[in-house]
Amino acid sequence: MIDLHEIIGLVAAVLTTASFLPQVVKTAKTKDTSGLSLSMYIIFFIGVLLWLIYGVLINSLSIILANIITASLTLYLLLMKLRYK
Amino acid sequence: MIDLHEIIGLVAAVLTTASFLPQVVKTAKTKDTSGLSLSMYIIFFIGVLLWLIYGVLINSLSIILANIITASLTLYLLLMKLRYK
């Protein structure tokens, strides 16, 4: 069984990840990456990878899942930025 | 002493929070909130509050600190959006 605190974490993960999706959808549709800051996204990506490592170290399912998805979406935006800059 | 995993978490917190700051600084300077989606920021804010509760429940200093700061910055952007919309 999943603990109550893990359910709260998973809902948190869904909400914060969902709020990131419109940027991804917009960039995928328009290929316009002029509004995205490359340096800021690189810093964010490294931060997300460290959160992922942290999640593994403290054995938190919510943090691991949230940051695998966010890292994937951020990597996609970074690749779009590099391709269409 | 702070554990190694908590140091990784705190560095992650600094990086992901830092990458959020340019938006806050830009909005504070320009008062232009037309690029901010109110509904997305409300969803994100609720998600961040749930992460904060999750951090308290699993006793994670990194998650608590990161989400107190992010919640404050997001609340500021939300108030700016409501004031200057």
Side-chain angles (χ1 to χ4, degrees):
Chain A
M1 283 293 293
I2 294 180
D3 295 322
L4 173 65
H5 67 251
E6 213 57 52
I7 292 171
I8 292 174
L10 289 171
V11 174
V14 168
L15 295 181
T16 51
T17 307
S19 63
F20 196 52
L21 280 177
Q23 181 65 65
V24 178
V25 172
K26 187 181 176 190
T27 305
K29 274 188 184 168
T30 63
K31 318 286 187 204
D32 177 13
T33 62
S34 61
L36 306 182
S37 160
L38 181 62
S39 55
M40 282 304 118
Y41 268 89
I42 289 172
I43 291 171
F44 184 69
F45 184 62
I46 296 169
V48 170
L49 290 184
L50 289 178
W51 276 124
L52 181 55
I53 294 169
Y54 180 75
V56 172
L57 290 175
I58 69 167
N59 200 24
S60 159
L61 179 65
S62 301
I63 297 176
I64 292 170
L65 286 178
N67 288 286
I68 284 176
I69 295 167
T70 305
S72 306
L73 296 174
T74 307
L75 184 62
Y76 171 75
L77 289 177
L78 276 173
L79 293 175
M80 293 288 282
K81 179 72 182 175
L82 290 171
R83 185 170 169 190
Y84 293 103
K85 73 176 174 183
Chain B
M1 281 294 293
I2 295 180
D3 294 322
L4 173 66
H5 66 251
E6 212 57 52
I7 291 171
I8 292 173
L10 289 171
V11 174
V14 168
L15 294 181
T16 51
T17 307
S19 63
F20 196 53
L21 280 177
Q23 181 65 66
V24 178
V25 172
K26 188 182 177 189
T27 305
K29 274 187 184 168
T30 63
K31 317 287 186 205
D32 177 12
T33 63
S34 60
L36 306 182
S37 161
L38 182 63
S39 55
M40 282 303 117
Y41 268 89
I42 289 172
I43 291 171
F44 184 70
F45 184 62
I46 295 169
V48 170
L49 290 183
L50 289 178
W51 276 123
L52 181 56
I53 293 168
Y54 179 74
V56 171
L57 290 174
I58 69 167
N59 201 23
S60 160
L61 180 65
S62 301
I63 296 176
I64 293 169
L65 286 179
N67 288 287
I68 284 176
I69 296 168
T70 305
S72 306
L73 295 175
T74 307
L75 184 62
Y76 171 75
L77 289 177
L78 276 173
L79 293 175
M80 291 289 283
K81 178 72 181 174
L82 291 172
R83 184 170 169 190
Y84 293 103
K85 73 175 175 185

